[in-house]
Amino acid sequence: METIDITQQSFGQTLENNEIVFVDFWAAWCGPCRMFAPTYGAAAERHPDITFAKVDTEAEQALAAAASITSIPTLMAFKDKTLVFSQPGALNATGLEEVIQAVKNLDMDKLRADAAQQQP
């Protein structure tokens, strides 16, 4: 599956309609972003069951600000509409694959139960 471009208007709907969403925050002038793009695109091809989205931080400054993006590229992963991973910096193919597998294997029921237990 190809990557999709998302905007502030489509961000919420993308999370709502997909179980797992990876989001690459990038900019055209960013060298590390351009180096990461082919790795991210290849992962999207290998994992058609996951939505791989891109946010151009220049065009979507309000969305980048809302996501507290301070460094690009930044990769975020959402599962069941919940942010489960966020890391600035370009990953290599192996690192990205490890994150993808970890997110796929994440037990959201257990995560929610653990979070509920930590509430005072």
Side-chain angles (χ1 to χ4, degrees), residues 73-100:
T74 291
L75 180 65
M76 291 186 171
F78 296 84
K79 186 168 183 179
D80 295 344
K81 300 175 281 217
T82 301
L83 177 65
V84 295
F85 178 85
S86 179
Q87 178 178 308
L91 293 170
N92 62 28
T94 302
L96 179 56
E97 194 61 35
E98 288 172 358
V99 172
I100 291 168

Side-chain angles (χ1 to χ4, degrees), residues 15-21 77-84 103 106-109 111-112:
L15 295 183
E16 188 71 36
N17 295 336
N18 298 281
E19 179 189 7
I20 298 175
V21 179
F78 296 84
K79 186 168 183 179
D80 295 344
K81 300 175 281 217
T82 301
L83 177 65
V84 295
V103 171
L106 195 58
D107 182 340
M108 293 304 291
D109 291 332
L111 188 72
R112 283 189 275 273

Side-chain angles (χ1 to χ4, degrees), residues 3-8 10-11 22-28 33 40 52-65 67 69 72-74 76 78:
T3 62
I4 61 169
D5 292 322
I6 56 175
T7 64
Q8 188 169 4
S10 63
F11 188 81
F22 277 78
V23 183
D24 173 23
F25 289 86
W26 69 283
C33 298
Y40 191 69
F52 287 83
K54 296 177 76 68
V55 173
D56 180 347
T57 58
E58 290 293 305
E60 294 296 328
Q61 292 181 10
L63 178 54
I69 302 301
I72 54 173
T74 291
M76 291 186 171
F78 296 84

